[in-house]
Amino acid sequence: RTLERAGIVFLALPAQRDPIEAFSAWVDGRMPCIALLANTPGDRQRFSVAHELGHLVMHRVIRAAHVEEEANAFAAEFLTPSAAMASEFDSPVTLPQLLALKQRWRVAMRSLVNTGALVGAISPRHRVSLFQRLNKEYGGKAEPVLFPAERPRGLMQLAEMRFGKPLPVDKAATELGLPAERLTGILDGYQPGMTALPEGVVPFRPRRR
């Protein structure tokens, strides 16, 4: 939500396309957009959004050969700064400890394993062991979900400004030429309302050509 208030346009798409959970683009070279696909757990959604923010910040023109690795590194540092994480791990790192850190930092346990390895709290061998235990305990990408995914607000706010609040779905659907069920499915991915930009957050400004 902070990124949305800073000027990034978020689109909640009522679709799934594994393994893609989000993607981003500068629309017309001026408007930063991030699209979120449906049913992404909250922990993975946060990392996906931070990953796409990294692309928007660093890769307006993609020249690097390792853009995905760079975006992953950006996301990890954005969500779990190494300077703060260095003192967060107790040795030896265990799954219960990772679960507690997940609740504190609101990121996936697998991401925390990588961060622990980055700050030297988890050895390469122990990192492999922790991933094996996670896969055995939860399988694949699954983990205990401790917090819900966030929903963007911008599109719902625009609809409420145009049609009123609470949103009269039937009226809006008729004017937009959509079945009411279809419009409801689209807007279910959005959170009503919009709040002010928090103090100290620098907004994205459209660039003049």
Side-chain angles (χ1 to χ4, degrees):
R1 293 173 185 173
T2 297
L3 297 180
E4 189 173 28
R5 294 193 293 267
I8 296 178
V9 176
F10 279 82
L11 302 176
L13 303 182
Q16 294 176 271
R17 187 176 179 182
D18 190 65
I20 299 173
E21 296 176 348
F23 56 90
S24 60
W26 282 89
V27 176
D28 198 26
R30 302 176 66 244
M31 181 186 297
C33 294
I34 296 177
L36 304 174
L37 273 65
N39 299 326
T40 301
D43 51 1
R44 297 215 309 269
Q45 183 203 59
R46 284 169 58 84
F47 192 90
S48 294
V49 168
H51 176 101
E52 297 306 326
L53 175 63
H55 283 313
L56 291 173
V57 171
M58 300 186 295
H59 304 139
R60 285 183 65 112
V61 178
I62 298 178
R63 296 191 180 96
H66 305 291
V67 293
E68 294 304 317
E69 291 85 348
E70 291 174 358
N72 281 337
F74 179 98
E77 189 66 20
F78 185 80
L79 296 172
T80 48
S82 54
M85 297 304 297
S87 60
E88 286 287 274
F89 296 94
D90 296 323
S91 183
V93 176
T94 62
L95 294 192
Q97 182 186 160
L98 291 171
L99 189 60
L101 287 173
K102 173 175 181 170
Q103 187 165 13
R104 171 176 168 81
W105 288 93
R106 299 176 70 83
V107 296
M109 296 164 73
R110 288 170 173 81
S111 177
L112 287 165
V113 171
N114 287 329
T115 299
L118 179 67
V119 301
I122 298 174
S123 69
R125 183 175 180 178
H126 191 41
R127 175 178 176 273
V128 172
S129 175
L130 286 170
F131 275 121
Q132 290 173 339
R133 294 178 200 173
L134 284 166
N135 290 336
K136 182 178 180 180
E137 185 73 20
Y138 305 116
K141 295 182 179 179
E143 291 184 11
V145 179
L146 303 179
F147 40 89
E150 295 187 49
R151 294 187 293 169
R153 294 174 169 176
L155 184 60
M156 178 65 84
Q157 185 191 30
L158 289 175
E160 290 171 346
M161 290 171 63
R162 173 64 182 86
F163 298 107
K165 186 176 181 181
L167 183 70
V169 174
D170 290 338
K171 176 183 176 182
T174 299
E175 186 165 327
L176 293 171
L178 292 172
E181 296 80 4
R182 178 61 174 166
L183 180 60
T184 299
I186 292 172
L187 294 178
D188 276 348
Y190 292 85
Q191 181 74 27
M194 178 68 78
T195 56
L197 187 69
E199 183 179 354
V201 174
V202 179
F204 270 72
R205 299 293 188 191
R207 293 189 176 185
R208 294 180 179 179
R209 291 185 169 181

